[in-house]
Every structure is written in structure tokens, then in C-alpha cells.
Amino acid sequence: MRVVVGDEGAGELLRGVLHTLRSGFAVFDRDMRYVAYNEAWLEAHGLPPGRDLLGLRHYDVLPIRDEWREVHRRCLEGGTEQRSKDFFDRPDGKREHLRWEVTPWRAAGGSIAGLVIYAERITEQVEAERRLAERESMIRDLFEQSPVGLNLCSMQGLWIESNPAFLGIIGYSQAEADGGLTYWQLTPRKYDADEAIQLENLRLHRRYGPYEKEFIRKDGRLVPVRLNGFLVERDGEDFIWSLIEDLTAQRALEARLEEERVKAIHASKLAMMGEMAASFAHEINNPLEIIDAFAYTLKEAIAAGDAAYLDEALAGIRAATARAGKIVHGLRKFARERDDAPTEVAIATIVGDAMDLCRARIRTHGVELEVKVETASCVRGHAVELAQVLVNLLNNAFDAARVAPDKWIRLVAVDRGDSVVITVEDSGAGVPAHLDDDVFRPFFTTKPVGAGTGLGLSISRSIIESHGGTLTFDRSAPHTRFVVELSR
Amino acid sequence: MKPPPTMLPAILYIDDEAMLCRVFQRVLDGCGAPIVTFTDPELALAYTREHPVAAIVCDYRMPALSGLELLERLEIEVPFVLISGDIGIAPIVQSNPRVTAVLAKPFQPEALLALLQPYLPASTAR
């Protein structure tokens, strides 16, 4: 840059022009004393507006670094220097970012008369750049460090970007993933129908998920994942961003919890059988007594040739054997661990299995028992677990009814719409109003210490809920009434 | 219940199991005393108010009335054998002086006969 000052009038004009410039601008003599400067110069250096610098030495006014003094010296010898990005620490401590240029100006005779310094404040731009870079690195860190798999793919399923977490889930290297691997190569065919649903979601809402599926890892193993995603546009083309969570640990935990739950159900059932042991013994000991007594009488009957009595005795022995056998079979059926796969099971069968275990106990204690199965429906589930719920409800009803003045229990199974409803009602004192919800809590019991585990109802509810049904206490009933509702 | 042919003191066998009544009628038959069986304890109590009784064999667990409840209401003092298919009732009855003996089902008929032997008319005992 070259500034030429002619006469006084031209100097005035130049000063006027200088003040309109938004960039800082100052003219110095060879001794670095201010000859001219503009407001923007004051501002760029943190000096108050209107400050009179004329005749003052630059180095007295501002803390000029040695590095800059060197620049000034070189330029006074004829050089021109510039920096596109530099900084200046203002006297007030604030750092300004500047772009500057230093160039000598010449007197009329051509000799160097001083320097012109042009200094543009670029602090805002530098800050903006820094913030942008920070943001970019933050997003990069999120992408790289995220424990959630992140993946961008084309509408055709071609993978464009994959983060390390995602590569870990699918077991491929970055190069392999970027080298033309597609979503469809890693998706088992059994998900075709589900995939169509998610693509339809994308089309309608520009989002999909949460969608649980599996990917085929490079090692061939299936990995359970949960996907969520949305559409983004790049250069007019749609792409899918997906967030992929590895559900392996969660599934393992769920499996362990389910295993514990099944164990707890089984333990509760065994505890219940322990409570019922006395009545089972009764149901086996009576037939045994019948058999032995008949056998005792046979010798004499044979000697006497009493054919009619022989017939009666043999029939009695067989009937008693069948009766004891029924209890043993019922116990064996009830005591076994549950089958892995649920089956279609008739409500009548479930009620029948429960009754086989409870009927004698209830009746020998003088409690009236009414059972009405007015449904031919089946439900899908574990027959033993469902029978366990009814045994539990019947046992509770029995404990309440046996000490009531009027002793009865009523079990009714009916269809209601798409459900089958089984109610177990008893004549007992009922559940105190303030305990409605508590009865389903683990370890809750109104029975004396040692008479109940307090787990029956909470486990019964867990069983029914795992079958997609409900187990509730019907407060509106005049007597204690529990209601099981299952889809048929 | 059939009234006995004579008014000899009878042995009452009380059990809600009809089949046990039937077979013990036969087991005890010929022991020297008339055998009267009841599935309904109330009828047995009624009988004791009208007729002489030599001994009572009674089931513990019955729907209408337990063997001990029956004993409670029994107005006569008579040998009383409690039989039960339940487990663990011995401690409940041990402290009751009116219970002569407790037999846990299944017991051998001979055991019952042996228990009753002292209360049978000696001359006709087989």
C-alpha cells in the first residue's frame, strides 16, 4: 500500500476518508509518532474513542511486542509485511485477533517518511472458527466414543458411515464396512416383514423404531439389537441415520431374571405343597386303610365262599387304589418343573388339575365347594403354572372359609368376550379395605407366622401377567373375590 | 344305621368314609359286641343317648364335626379310639384324658382289634 499526501487540503480529505473506514488505519513518521489514525484504529487497540494520539510515539501509547518493532524497522528500510492472522493483547487484557499490513510511505522526494499500518479486527471470525472447530471435534468425539452404534446408510442400504461401537456390534472392520457392505447382507430373512413395516414408518414419519431385530455378525453369530433412526437429506438425496443398541447383555439379564422367576414360582409351589401335605397324606392314608382292611377280611370270606362280598371287596380295593393313585398322579403332575414351551390348554383341564389337589382338603374340613366351568375355551401357556395360581387362590379361600361361620368356596370359569374369566370367591372375613393393593405385595400375609410364605399372591400375579392376563381383587364383591382374566 | 338285634353294649365305628364303615363292619363282625357304623357323627351322638355303648372308634377328620369335637359333646364315659389319616395329630390328643388311644391310618386291623379286646365281652371274644 502506498499513501501519498499532497497539500494541506488533501490531508484533510484523507483524514475524513480514514475515519469512514471500518478497518484500523494509522500513519506514522520515521520516529513512529502518529501522523494520522482513524476511530477504528482506536477501537482495535482498546483505546477510548476520540483519544488524541497525534505526535505521540506508538510504543509509548501501546505495549508493542519486540516482534512487531522488528517488523516496523524492516519496513522503514523499504519492506512491506503482512499477517492474515495475528493477535494483540490490549492494555485492558483482552486479546484481539488482527489481520495487518505494514508498508512504508514516501515523502515527495521519494524518501521513506514513515509507515502506514493497516489493522483489521478479526476477533469475531477467529472466535467463530474456533467454536466451529470445537463443535466439530465434539461431534466427532461423540461419534467415535459413543457406546451406541451410529450408522448412516443410503436408502438402498449401503453403509456410508459407521462408528466404532457399530463396528464392534457387527464384528466388521472400518475398511470392510466402508467397502460396500449393506444393511441387507447383515439382516436375517426372517425380518423381511418387520423391515417392510419400518420402511413404511420412514416413508410416513421420516423416522423408524424402536425396532428390535438381529444382525448377522461377521462370525455368523446373531446379535440382538434395538434400532432407532431418521431420514436426513444430503444434496437432495435421502439417507438414514440409525442408532444401534446391542441388546446382548440385556437379553442375558432378562434370561437370568426369567430363570430366577421360574425358580421362585417352583419354590413357591413346593412351599404350597408343604402346607397341603397333611391333606395329601389324608387322601392317601384313607384308601390304604380301606385296602388293608378289605384284605384282612378276604381270608374268611374266601373260606366261607362269600362270592358277593369277594366282589365287593375287590371292587373296593381297586377303587381305593385308583383314588390314592389319582392323588399321587396329581402331585407328580403338579410338582414337575414347567415345560419350556407353552401349549394350548383347556380351562377345564387347569381347573380339574387344581381341584384334584384341593377338593378333598376343602371338603374334609366341612367347607362347601362349588365349581362351575361354563367354558370350553383354551388358553396358551404353562398348564402347571396356571393350575398353581388356582391352587393358591383356593388355598387362601380355604384358610379364610374354614374359620368362618358359613363355610363355602365358589370357583366359576366363564367366557367374557375374547377373555376367559375365572373367579374364586369365599365366605371368609375378607380383605380389610386398606389392604386392597398390599395383598399382591411379596411377603405380605395376614396368616400367622409360619402359616404362609406371603409370596403366593405376588407369584400368582406374576404368573398370570407373564401369560398376558390380569389377577385382581374385586373389592365390589360382597365376599372375598379374586378374578383371573386370560385371553382365550 | 340299623338297630342292633339285642341291647348289648355296641361298638360304634364313626368315619365319613362310607367304604371304611362298610369294611370295618366286616372286620369287627364277630368280635362279640354288636357293631354299629356311622358316616354322620351327629347320628352317632344321638345313638349314644339312647343305647348302651362298649367303645367308640372315631375318625378325627370329618367335614361336619371332628373326632375331638364329637368327644367334647359325648355325654357318656366310654373307651374312645381316635383314628386319623392326618399327620401329626398325636400331640393334639395326647393331653386329652378321654382319648384312650390314637391309631394313625393306615393301621393294621389287628391293631384295632387288640386295642378293643379289653372292652369286649370275654366269653364271646373270638
Side-chain angles (χ1 to χ4, degrees):
Chain A
M1 184 174 294
R2 202 174 157 80
V3 176
V4 180
V5 179
D7 53 31
E8 275 304 299
E12 279 304 312
L13 176 68
L14 189 57
R15 256 195 295 279
V17 170
L18 283 180
H19 282 297
T20 66
L21 290 178
R22 298 178 73 106
S23 300
F25 204 90
V27 182
F28 298 93
D29 63 13
R30 287 197 61 91
D31 205 18
M32 289 307 286
R33 288 179 192 282
Y34 282 94
V35 175
Y37 57 92
N38 65 358
E39 281 297 322
W41 175 271
L42 293 174
E43 196 198 328
H45 292 87
L47 295 169
R51 167 94 184 261
D52 186 6
L53 300 175
L54 287 178
L56 295 179
R57 203 151 178 270
H58 187 36
Y59 307 143
D60 296 338
V61 174
L62 291 166
I64 300 302
R65 310 203 295 271
D66 288 349
E67 182 196 341
W68 280 8
R69 296 183 192 223
E70 282 303 305
V71 171
H72 299 159
R73 200 184 49 72
R74 289 196 296 272
C75 291
L76 282 169
E77 284 168 9
T80 290
E81 293 194 26
Q82 54 202 336
R83 297 279 191 285
S84 60
K85 199 164 146 190
D86 202 349
F87 65 90
F88 168 68
D89 290 321
R90 299 187 342 187
D92 63 6
K94 195 180 160 216
R95 175 163 287 192
E96 293 284 6
H97 291 276
L98 299 172
R99 170 165 50 231
W100 55 254
E101 184 176 309
V102 180
T103 188
W105 62 279
R106 292 166 193 277
S111 61
I112 292 172
L115 295 178
V116 177
I117 303 179
Y118 156 90
E120 185 184 1
R121 260 182 90 239
I122 54 166
T123 306
E124 282 76 13
Q125 291 95 304
V126 169
E127 281 294 309
E129 272 168 32
R130 191 184 54 76
R131 278 198 301 270
L132 195 68
E134 253 177 33
R135 204 160 178 75
E136 222 177 79
S137 117
M138 182 182 84
I139 289 166
R140 180 49 54 184
D141 283 350
L142 273 177
F143 187 75
E144 296 291 333
Q145 307 292 332
S146 164
V148 174
L150 298 170
N151 167 263
L152 182 74
C153 79
S154 74
M155 292 306 285
Q156 290 72 43
L158 186 70
W159 276 330
I160 314 283
E161 301 242 27
S162 303
N163 75 341
F166 179 61
L167 295 171
I169 291 170
I170 59 171
Y172 282 91
S173 71
Q174 185 82 56
E176 288 165 333
D178 295 346
L181 203 60
T182 73
Y183 180 89
W184 301 109
Q185 278 170 271
L186 269 59
T187 297
R189 295 303 305 262
K190 64 177 169 182
Y191 290 102
D192 282 1
D194 296 334
E195 296 291 341
I197 293 169
Q198 299 305 329
L199 282 171
E200 183 65 6
N201 278 339
L202 262 182
R203 197 180 66 78
L204 290 174
H205 313 295
R206 298 188 65 82
R207 304 193 71 89
Y208 79 94
Y211 168 37
E212 293 189 4
K213 61 173 285 187
E214 290 161 312
F215 277 129
I216 308 164
R217 284 171 52 89
K218 190 184 177 188
D219 59 17
R221 197 161 56 80
L222 292 177
V223 54
V225 289
R226 183 189 297 123
L227 306 184
N228 276 285
F230 50 90
L231 281 183
V232 289
E233 211 184 290
R234 272 190 180 182
D235 302 326
E237 196 187 334
D238 276 341
F239 290 86
I240 309 167
W241 260 121
S242 293
L243 287 75
I244 302 103
E245 291 165 84
D246 187 345
L247 300 183
T248 307
Q250 188 182 327
R251 285 288 141 81
L253 186 68
E254 284 165 2
R256 223 176 60 219
L257 284 176
E258 176 63 10
E259 202 177 299
E260 291 300 320
R261 199 184 68 87
V262 170
K263 269 192 209 158
I265 288 171
H266 191 66
S268 164
K269 182 172 68 182
L270 295 180
M272 210 155 71
M273 289 172 74
E275 288 166 36
M276 297 167 78
S279 65
F280 295 148
H282 182 270
E283 271 311 278
I284 288 168
N285 291 336
N286 267 5
L288 282 177
E289 187 60 56
I290 291 169
I291 292 164
D292 197 30
F294 267 127
Y296 174 84
T297 61
L298 278 181
K299 193 174 172 186
E300 206 180 278
I302 290 167
D306 189 345
Y309 181 74
L310 277 179
D311 278 352
E312 186 193 342
L314 292 175
I317 287 170
R318 296 213 59 189
T321 310
R323 181 174 148 196
K326 197 171 173 186
I327 271 289
V328 172
H329 284 306
L331 280 172
R332 184 186 294 147
K333 200 159 147 191
F334 192 64
R336 71 163 194 261
E337 305 233 3
R338 81 171 202 187
D339 301 325
D340 281 340
T343 53
E344 288 289 326
V345 48
I347 290 297
T349 305
I350 298 166
V351 173
D353 289 352
M355 294 318 309
D356 282 349
L357 296 179
C358 298
R359 187 182 289 113
R361 181 178 191 223
I362 292 169
R363 291 206 168 135
T364 56
H365 284 78
V367 177
E368 196 91 24
L369 176 63
E370 186 188 349
V371 179
K372 283 200 287 188
V373 179
E374 294 168 346
T375 166
S377 298
C378 288
V379 294
R380 188 160 187 77
H382 298 279
V384 176
E385 286 190 357
L386 292 171
Q388 179 180 346
V389 171
L390 296 187
V391 170
N392 172 233
L393 294 178
L394 287 166
N395 278 353
N396 287 348
F398 170 71
D399 286 339
R402 67 189 288 197
V403 293
D406 193 19
K407 307 177 202 305
W408 55 261
I409 295 172
R410 191 179 299 135
L411 185 151
V412 181
V414 290
D415 289 333
R416 189 190 293 161
D418 292 338
S419 302
V420 54
V421 176
I422 307 170
T423 56
V424 176
E425 200 170 355
D426 68 65
S427 61
V431 176
H434 65 283
L435 294 178
D436 278 12
D437 289 333
D438 290 343
V439 295
F440 293 106
R441 235 178 38 216
F443 304 113
F444 176 86
T445 182
T446 55
K447 299 175 191 176
V449 172
T453 59
L455 286 172
L457 277 176
S458 86
I459 281 179
S460 288
R461 178 174 262 188
S462 144
I463 290 172
I464 295 299
E465 286 176 352
S466 75
H467 283 78
T470 56
L471 168 58
T472 50
F473 172 64
D474 181 2
R475 165 57 61 192
S476 71
H479 301 282
T480 312
R481 180 196 278 165
F482 285 88
V483 183
V484 174
E485 191 165 349
L486 290 162
S487 300
R488 47 184 183 129
Chain B
M1 175 202 87
K2 275 185 296 181
T6 67
M7 286 310 278
L8 277 173
I11 290 176
L12 308 193
Y13 182 92
I14 308 163
D15 197 312
D16 60 304
E17 291 264 2
M19 194 73 93
L20 279 172
C21 286
R22 173 75 185 110
V23 71
F24 272 94
Q25 177 86 53
R26 187 88 177 196
V27 166
L28 300 171
D29 189 33
C31 73
I35 311 300
V36 191
T37 65
F38 297 91
T39 52
D40 182 343
E42 292 292 346
L43 292 181
L45 279 171
Y47 181 94
T48 62
R49 290 185 209 108
E50 313 268 319
H51 307 283
V53 175
I56 294 177
V57 180
C58 183
D59 187 26
Y60 171 69
R61 173 77 60 207
M62 294 181 289
L65 203 61
S66 82
L68 284 179
E69 285 165 338
L70 181 140
L71 182 57
E72 196 87 358
R73 288 173 51 191
L74 191 63
E75 291 154 16
I76 54 167
E77 290 307 319
V78 65
F80 192 89
V81 177
L82 196 65
I83 58 176
S84 174
D86 282 32
I87 45 177
I89 65 151
I92 309 173
V93 294
Q94 250 156 19
S95 54
N96 191 327
R98 295 178 73 193
V99 177
T100 313
V102 178
L103 275 181
K105 292 177 190 171
F107 56 83
Q108 293 188 327
E110 291 90 335
L112 179 61
L113 284 167
L115 270 174
L116 292 175
Q117 195 62 44
Y119 315 107
L120 296 173
S123 56
T124 54
R126 56 175 171 175

